[in-house]
């Protein structure tokens, strides 16, 4: 099959890790008989240098003409002193908004081979395989906000707003994903206090009737954050709002202890999606062939699975990553005694070589 991919390498280690993912995708294309037409695009600091804008219009237009977007990372100290709306990170918010990406998927997996990196030492850490599904374009980050005078001095307010429609569409994404995993959804809210959470809970419960094969339970966010530390292996899919998801997805990913291993996906309607590693542009190691490309390679695997519907191919990439780890190859960030240290490019070569 033929697919058109928008590729945004970005800044710092972005281009280095994206190149390794493209290497792996090229191998997938040749083994499975697909064609990936790639369009290279600017966003972030490099776009500011070239065009004066963090997110040039043409980048958004080309993304919209593509099946999926693969992004590296943006940002760096060179652009730190620019005003807020001109900073490289503005490109990320712009892309999410303009591409209408309302669902953020963040897996947190502890690889058996890397379980020493897991920050939790007790319990069965190798069973940790969580998918956080976070609503990305609604809630308190987008509700009315402002300041006003009051008898107690200045007041500031932010408003959490959710509509049935917004909750329904993110809930369906979570239930659909659970069906491809262990068929369990934990919906996280604060329904004992917040009205928006009570609507959230009602709608999620209603939608769950269309998924009788998926088990649903509800947790308050304070309890969920404790349970994540106490026994993360109890979770399969965590479905939650924008702000709670922002916090819980970082908590879940830190448990794994390996920032260089964490992929993510942002989805909208239909199959379109943007795929990127969770980490940033890591200016401290940029250009030194030290970056771990596995987060970006695993993001490409998510793209194969969720947007291109190429399940076998996605499995093959994930298996190849496992195989590389099993054979003891490590970049510096996940290195441990007795293992073989490799650079960014060699890691990409090894994964590509194990695609069968
Ligand atoms: P960072 O994720 O770039 O780096 C944090 C630490 O993790 C650094 O020590 C870095 O060397 C290490 N690290 C990150 N990715 C790695 C990888 N693949 N392999 C090995 N080590 C890795 O976060 P930061 O230092 O807070 O931010 C650096 C820049 O990146 C900033 O400009 C920030 O705004 C930007 N940023 C961008 C994104 C994004 O593009 N999505 C996300 C976070 C931060």
């Amino acid at each position: 099959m033929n697919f058109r991919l928008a590729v945004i390498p970005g800044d710092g280690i972005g281009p280095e890790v994206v190149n390794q993912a493209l290497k792996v995708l090229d191998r997938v294309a040749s083994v499975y008989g697909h064609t990936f037409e790639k369009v290279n695009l600017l966003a972030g600091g490099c776009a500011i240098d070239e065009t004066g804008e963090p997110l040039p219009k043409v980048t958004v237009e080309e993304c919209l003409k593509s099946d999926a977007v693969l992004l590296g990372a943006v940002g760096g100290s060179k652009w730190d002193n620019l005003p807020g709306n001109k900073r490289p990170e503005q490109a990320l918010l712009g892309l999410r908004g303009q591409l209408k990406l309302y669902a953020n998927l963040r897996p947190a997996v502890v690889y058996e081979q890397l379980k020493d990196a897991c920050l939790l030492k007790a319990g069965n850490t190798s069973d940790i395989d969580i998918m956080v599904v976070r609503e990305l374009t609604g809630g308190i980050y987008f509700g009315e906000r402002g300041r006003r005078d009051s008898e107690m001095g200045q007041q500031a307010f932010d408003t959490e707003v959710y509509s049935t429609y917004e909750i329904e569409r993110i809930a369906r994404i979570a239930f659909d994903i659970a069906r491809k995993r262990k068929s369990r959804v934990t919906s996280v809210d604060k329904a004992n206090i917040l009205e928006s959470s009570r609507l959230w809970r009602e709608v999620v419960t209603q939608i769950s009737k269309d998924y009788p094969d998926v088990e649903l339970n509800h947790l308050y966010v304070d309890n969920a954050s404790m349970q994540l530390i106490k026994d993360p292996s109890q979770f399969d899919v965590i479905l939650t709002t924008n702000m709670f998801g922002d916090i819980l997805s970082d908590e879940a990913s830190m448990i794994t202890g390996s920032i260089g291993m964490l992929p993510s996906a942002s989805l909208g309607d239909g199959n379109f999606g943007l795929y990127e590693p969770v980490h940033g542009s890591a200016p401290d190691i940029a250009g030194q062939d030290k970056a771990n490309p596995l987060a970006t390679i695993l993001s490409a695997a998510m793209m194969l699975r969720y947007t291109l519907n190429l399940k076998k191919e996605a499995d093959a990439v994930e298996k190849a990553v496992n195989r590389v780890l099993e054979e003891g190859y490590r970049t510096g960030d996940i290195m441990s005694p007795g293992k073989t240290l490799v650079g960014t490019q060699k890691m990409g070569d090894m994964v590509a070589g194990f695609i069968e």
Side-chain angles (χ1 to χ4, degrees), residues 5 7 18-31 34-36 38 70 296-297 300-301 303-304 308 310 313 317 352 355:
L5 307 182
V7 179
V18 162
N19 277 340
Q20 306 317 308
L22 295 179
K23 195 185 274 177
V24 171
L25 286 173
D26 282 343
R27 173 78 182 152
V28 167
S30 77
V31 171
H34 303 301
T35 309
F36 298 121
K38 297 165 214 128
L70 182 67
T296 313
I297 291 171
M303 178 177 84
L304 295 169
L308 309 182
L310 302 175
E313 291 80 344
V317 174
I355 301 281

Side-chain angles (χ1 to χ4, degrees), residues 315-333:
D315 287 344
V317 174
E318 285 165 3
K319 268 195 204 129
V321 168
N322 262 298
R323 172 107 185 259
V324 168
L325 296 175
E326 235 156 71
E327 306 229 339
Y329 296 100
R330 304 280 189 272
T331 44
D333 57 313

Side-chain angles (χ1 to χ4, degrees), residues 29-300:
S30 77
V31 171
Y32 290 89
H34 303 301
T35 309
F36 298 121
E37 181 201 339
K38 297 165 214 128
V39 189
N40 217 46
L41 301 166
L42 289 174
C46 56
I48 296 173
D49 288 350
E50 195 107 336
T51 70
E53 292 296 324
L55 183 61
K57 216 167 122 214
V58 60
T59 295
V60 176
E61 286 165 1
E62 290 296 326
C63 287
L64 287 169
K65 282 193 241 160
S66 305
D67 293 301
V69 184
L70 182 67
L71 187 143
V74 299
S77 54
K78 180 177 174 192
W79 303 282
D80 273 354
N81 294 326
L82 292 172
N85 63 348
K86 287 281 177 206
R87 285 174 60 104
E89 293 78 3
Q90 211 44 40
L92 301 174
L93 294 180
L95 279 168
R96 284 175 192 167
Q98 294 185 56
L99 303 180
K100 299 192 170 60
L101 304 169
Y102 60 82
N104 185 230
L105 274 49
R106 292 253 309 250
V109 178
V110 172
Y111 288 83
E112 178 60 29
Q113 305 90 337
L114 301 179
K115 66 174 194 268
D116 288 346
C118 177
L119 298 183
L120 302 177
K121 298 302 171 211
N124 196 357
T125 52
S126 49
D127 267 4
I128 300 172
D129 181 355
I130 304 168
M131 177 72 83
V132 180
V133 176
R134 165 189 171 196
E135 201 288 327
L136 204 55
T137 55
I140 197 164
Y141 292 178
F142 290 87
E144 196 192 337
R145 76 184 82 243
R147 295 197 182 197
R148 61 190 165 211
D149 290 323
S150 80
E151 284 172 359
M152 294 176 287
Q154 214 180 47
Q155 273 183 346
F157 61 95
D158 299 272
T159 323
E160 167 102 347
V161 183
Y162 269 115
S163 62
T164 305
Y165 169 73
E166 288 172 307
I167 305 167
E168 272 178 14
R169 64 181 185 175
I170 189 77
R172 286 196 187 281
I173 288 199
F175 284 107
D176 285 336
I177 285 170
R179 273 190 170 157
K180 296 179 186 164
R181 297 171 46 98
K182 292 183 219 136
S183 293
R184 285 204 318 268
V185 171
T186 303
S187 175
V188 175
D189 60 37
K190 190 72 185 167
N192 48 345
I193 311 266
L194 301 176
E195 197 54 38
S196 55
S197 277
R198 286 194 269 273
L199 180 66
W200 180 275
R201 198 174 271 223
E202 275 166 39
V203 175
V204 170
T205 305
Q206 189 60 33
I207 295 296
S208 75
K209 294 184 180 146
D210 294 342
Y211 298 82
D213 49 319
V214 179
E215 185 192 320
L216 169 69
N217 70 317
H218 303 273
L219 284 185
Y220 298 136
V221 63
D222 38 353
N223 188 15
S225 63
M226 288 194 287
Q227 295 298 327
L228 260 175
I229 303 292
K230 188 174 163 218
D231 177 19
S233 62
Q234 70 183 284
F235 294 105
D236 179 21
V237 174
I238 293 178
L239 160 65
T240 191
T241 61
N242 201 344
M243 182 166 64
F244 295 159
D246 191 5
I247 299 163
L248 290 180
S249 60
D250 271 7
E251 185 188 350
S253 57
M254 274 324 288
I255 290 170
T256 69
S258 321
I259 181 119
M261 300 289 304
L262 299 166
S264 81
S266 300
L267 307 177
D269 280 332
N271 286 334
F272 185 77
L274 179 147
Y275 298 82
E276 59 181 322
V278 165
H279 61 72
S281 58
D284 52 329
I285 54 166
Q288 301 169 37
D289 197 41
K290 282 185 180 164
N292 184 347
L294 295 179
T296 313
I297 291 171
L298 291 166
S299 302

Side-chain angles (χ1 to χ4, degrees), residues 325-352:
L325 296 175
E326 235 156 71
E327 306 229 339
Y329 296 100
R330 304 280 189 272
T331 44
D333 57 313
I334 52 173
M335 185 61 187
S336 57
K339 304 299 178 196
T340 311
L341 183 66
V342 294
T344 311
Q345 298 194 41
K346 176 87 179 164
M347 190 56 121
D349 291 341
M350 307 276 322
V351 177

